[in-house]
Amino acid sequence: MAHRALIAIIFFVGFGSFSTNIEAQPYEFAIYPDAWFNSTDGVRLGARFLGEMQGTFKDGPHRVDAGIWLATKLPEKPVSYYLSYTNPIPAISSYMNEGSVQLISSVRTGYSVHKLQINKRWQRGFQELDYIEASMFTSRQGHFDAEYQPYRYLWQQGWRTMIGANIRISEKFDRSQFFGDITVQRNVDNNTINYSTATITLNYVINYSGDYKIRLRNFLGFTSDLATPEFKFLSTNGAPVEWQWNAFSRASGTVPTTWLNDGFIHIEGGANLRGYQAYMSELLATIENSPGGQFEFPLHHQSIALNAEIDFPNPLHNKLTNIKYLGDLIEFRTYTFIDVSRGKGTTVLSDPNVEVFPAVVPPKVESVFESEQWLADAGLGFQFSINIPDYLGKDRGIFVRYDLPLWLSSTMNNESNFKFRNVIGFGAIFNF
């Protein structure tokens, strides 16, 4: 199969090159034990591996970021892994402006991705936060086991062959910071309906005065009408395919299922209407617990959103930042927020494990998420983070939010627009 051939190429190129060069320069491996949990695997035990040529400080050839794990409940596929191999391309590289080829292979939690990617970075001097990064890629990816997914209706099983490109832009100014991300993809499988997807995310932070900051985020998402459901957009979270890159959302059970179904958990991404998480979770739980069938669901093929937060000072943040050595890594934010979004289009969802004969019009799931309706929420929030930026200055840490969406523009069942609501969020709304 095509994906097996790609795995073979990754291992041949990666470890073949490794064995050729290790005699010329010592190679360093750092190994870290790793454990995680989900309902299907149980406790997943393994290790992470980081490898590079000695003294290159993640700027040399043959860089490896990998992990391998064994599921203690011994499901059908008990071994899972992740492998990223990066090698510079001298013809398009210079100091701090690397061009590279990257090979990625991952099989875990019922989802498989095998990707070949060409990367190029342009950086302004030693300013790690002033850069442009571009990449072109082709991938073979597929969902093969619905048992892992908390909401199986959002997925269509089978393989996808994708080609695409990504551009990331970061600018650091005296009192502000900007980050932009643009990704476009197209499905190019033969004998299937081809479709395209595109997302644009723009983040701004303005240091207004002292501890007061204004954070703005714009999100635009587009897919073809006939795109498979995992690439379309929820009003509250990112596209389901993005959940695979978040350790808390890639499989059911890591976060308690009752918390998820009650709308107590919010995973950042997409339109980020965090105040509507309870409504969306109720819809998802309703169809998940229904017998095999079809439903017209507010999974949009177009999405537009604005998220805004205003930070204000709090004494706990000041105490944490004064801790010796740790103060620069720890942050406790307090903020007010507002989210505004509109989605267009609906999607007919089917249970991937049940053959459905669409002889009748699928029932429409009633909700506040009507196509082309503007929705908004507002409230207070708190975020605790431990962030150790990587060698390029990008965020790398744990972000936990507690948000209180006290006002919603639209409600159901005569519920008051003003009401005490709360959600716990994993991941920062504003990533840099």
Side-chain angles (χ1 to χ4, degrees), residues 142-159:
H143 175 240
F144 60 83
D145 191 343
E147 183 180 0
Y148 284 93
Q149 304 306 327
Y151 304 114
R152 65 188 185 277
Y153 279 83
L154 299 181
W155 294 85
Q156 181 173 305
Q157 294 196 42
W159 289 94

Side-chain angles (χ1 to χ4, degrees), residues 90-147:
I92 58 172
S93 296
S94 60
Y95 184 67
M96 304 300 289
N97 292 273
E98 181 183 86
S100 65
V101 58
Q102 184 178 13
L103 299 167
I104 296 172
S105 182
S106 173
V107 177
R108 57 185 175 185
T109 62
Y111 198 72
S112 183
V113 179
H114 312 289
K115 179 186 283 189
L116 171 63
Q117 184 165 294
I118 304 296
N119 306 308
K120 175 58 183 169
R121 178 182 174 94
W122 296 269
Q123 179 176 308
R124 186 179 303 162
F126 293 95
Q127 304 299 318
E128 289 87 356
L129 296 179
D130 290 342
Y131 65 84
I132 298 175
E133 290 182 341
S135 62
M136 296 183 296
F137 59 85
T138 179
S139 68
R140 184 73 170 163
Q141 54 189 287
H143 175 240
F144 60 83
D145 191 343
E147 183 180 0

Side-chain angles (χ1 to χ4, degrees), residues 7 32 37 79 99 109 123 168 174 227 266 272 280 285 339 359 374 391 408:
I7 295 174
Y32 306 93
F37 175 83
V79 177
T109 62
Q123 179 176 308
R168 295 169 296 278
D174 290 340
H266 175 258
N272 273 316
M280 181 59 71
D339 306 312
W374 285 98
Y391 69 106
L408 305 183

Side-chain angles (χ1 to χ4, degrees), residues 151 260-263 265 277-286:
Y151 304 114
L260 205 61
N261 291 338
D262 290 342
I265 300 298
Q277 187 64 58
Y279 287 143
M280 181 59 71
S281 297
E282 182 180 357
L283 291 180
L284 291 168
T286 297

Side-chain angles (χ1 to χ4, degrees), residues 12-187:
F12 177 78
V13 174
F15 291 95
S17 299
F18 165 79
S19 62
T20 300
N21 288 274
I22 193 168
E23 296 180 1
Q25 189 173 358
Y27 200 83
E28 294 181 324
F29 255 122
I31 303 176
Y32 306 93
D34 189 65
W36 204 244
F37 175 83
N38 65 65
S39 297
T40 303
D41 290 331
V43 178
R44 197 183 67 176
L45 300 174
R48 294 294 302 265
F49 305 87
L50 299 176
E52 63 177 336
M53 290 295 182
Q54 192 176 75
T56 57
F57 303 104
K58 303 186 185 299
D59 194 32
H62 311 301
R63 303 195 297 270
V64 174
D65 180 358
I68 187 167
W69 303 271
L70 175 66
T72 56
K73 289 180 69 172
L74 299 178
E76 182 179 352
K77 297 183 183 299
V79 177
S80 57
Y81 74 89
Y82 170 82
L83 170 65
S84 171
Y85 170 82
T86 305
N87 199 54
I89 303 173
I92 58 172
S93 296
S94 60
Y95 184 67
M96 304 300 289
N97 292 273
E98 181 183 86
S100 65
V101 58
Q102 184 178 13
L103 299 167
I104 296 172
S105 182
S106 173
V107 177
R108 57 185 175 185
T109 62
Y111 198 72
S112 183
V113 179
H114 312 289
K115 179 186 283 189
L116 171 63
Q117 184 165 294
I118 304 296
N119 306 308
K120 175 58 183 169
R121 178 182 174 94
W122 296 269
Q123 179 176 308
R124 186 179 303 162
F126 293 95
Q127 304 299 318
E128 289 87 356
L129 296 179
D130 290 342
Y131 65 84
I132 298 175
E133 290 182 341
S135 62
M136 296 183 296
F137 59 85
T138 179
S139 68
R140 184 73 170 163
Q141 54 189 287
H143 175 240
F144 60 83
D145 191 343
E147 183 180 0
Y148 284 93
Q149 304 306 327
Y151 304 114
R152 65 188 185 277
Y153 279 83
L154 299 181
W155 294 85
Q156 181 173 305
Q157 294 196 42
W159 289 94
R160 319 275 180 270
T161 301
M162 310 293 292
I163 59 172
N166 173 255
I167 297 176
R168 295 169 296 278
I169 303 173
S170 177
E171 287 283 343
K172 176 72 172 177
F173 305 100
D174 290 340
R175 298 182 61 182
S176 62
Q177 186 175 347
F178 165 79
F179 176 78
D181 183 288
I182 303 173
T183 301
V184 294
Q185 298 184 83
R186 181 162 178 81
N187 170 37

Side-chain angles (χ1 to χ4, degrees), residues 115-408:
K115 179 186 283 189
L116 171 63
Q117 184 165 294
I118 304 296
N119 306 308
K120 175 58 183 169
R121 178 182 174 94
W122 296 269
Q123 179 176 308
R124 186 179 303 162
F126 293 95
Q127 304 299 318
E128 289 87 356
L129 296 179
D130 290 342
Y131 65 84
I132 298 175
E133 290 182 341
S135 62
M136 296 183 296
F137 59 85
T138 179
S139 68
R140 184 73 170 163
Q141 54 189 287
H143 175 240
F144 60 83
D145 191 343
E147 183 180 0
Y148 284 93
Q149 304 306 327
Y151 304 114
R152 65 188 185 277
Y153 279 83
L154 299 181
W155 294 85
Q156 181 173 305
Q157 294 196 42
W159 289 94
R160 319 275 180 270
T161 301
M162 310 293 292
I163 59 172
N166 173 255
I167 297 176
R168 295 169 296 278
I169 303 173
S170 177
E171 287 283 343
K172 176 72 172 177
F173 305 100
D174 290 340
R175 298 182 61 182
S176 62
Q177 186 175 347
F178 165 79
F179 176 78
D181 183 288
I182 303 173
T183 301
V184 294
Q185 298 184 83
R186 181 162 178 81
N187 170 37
V188 293
D189 286 306
N190 293 325
N191 303 319
T192 62
I193 298 172
N194 297 131
Y195 54 84
S196 302
T197 74
T199 59
I200 302 173
T201 305
L202 306 175
N203 289 342
Y204 315 82
V205 174
I206 303 169
N207 296 316
Y208 181 71
S209 176
D211 291 331
Y212 290 93
K213 294 182 180 180
I214 300 173
R215 302 173 189 258
L216 301 173
R217 175 183 180 272
N218 294 110
F219 173 79
L220 294 170
F222 306 89
T223 71
S224 304
D225 293 357
L226 297 176
T228 52
E230 63 266 30
F231 288 99
K232 294 188 177 181
F233 308 103
L234 298 165
S235 296
T236 51
N237 314 98
V241 72
E242 297 177 8
W243 300 7
Q244 290 299 314
W245 302 105
N246 188 313
F248 292 96
S249 60
R250 67 167 58 104
S252 60
T254 301
V255 172
T257 304
T258 54
W259 291 13
L260 205 61
N261 291 338
D262 290 342
F264 190 50
I265 300 298
H266 175 258
I267 305 296
E268 59 84 23
N272 273 316
L273 279 174
R274 65 196 97 175
Y276 289 84
Q277 187 64 58
Y279 287 143
M280 181 59 71
S281 297
E282 182 180 357
L283 291 180
L284 291 168
T286 297
I287 67 168
E288 188 68 19
N289 295 324
S290 301
Q294 289 187 325
F295 301 88
E296 184 182 346
F297 193 83
L299 192 61
H300 305 301
H301 57 79
Q302 293 183 21
S303 178
I304 182 173
L306 169 67
N307 312 111
E309 295 180 357
I310 300 177
D311 289 22
F312 56 88
N314 68 83
L316 181 56
H317 171 75
N318 294 331
K319 290 183 179 180
L320 290 173
T321 55
N322 287 329
I323 298 177
K324 191 174 183 180
Y325 304 120
L326 293 177
D328 293 335
L329 309 177
I330 298 176
E331 184 178 47
F332 182 76
R333 296 176 49 219
T334 49
Y335 52 86
T336 61
F337 68 84
I338 183 170
D339 306 312
V340 181
S341 177
R342 185 184 74 166
K344 181 178 181 180
T346 59
T347 302
V348 175
L349 299 182
S350 302
D351 186 339
N353 294 325
V354 178
E355 188 173 359
V356 177
F357 299 95
V360 296
V361 177
K364 183 176 181 180
V365 179
E366 296 297 331
S367 70
V368 296
F369 305 105
E370 298 295 330
S371 180
E372 300 193 62
Q373 176 183 354
W374 285 98
L375 297 174
D377 61 46
L380 298 173
F382 310 86
Q383 177 178 295
F384 176 77
S385 61
I386 301 176
N387 185 30
I388 305 175
D390 67 12
Y391 69 106
L392 295 176
K394 299 176 184 177
D395 286 348
R396 182 183 59 179
I398 298 173
F399 300 83
V400 180
R401 292 176 286 108
Y402 180 62
D403 291 322
L404 303 171
L406 303 177
W407 173 80
L408 305 183

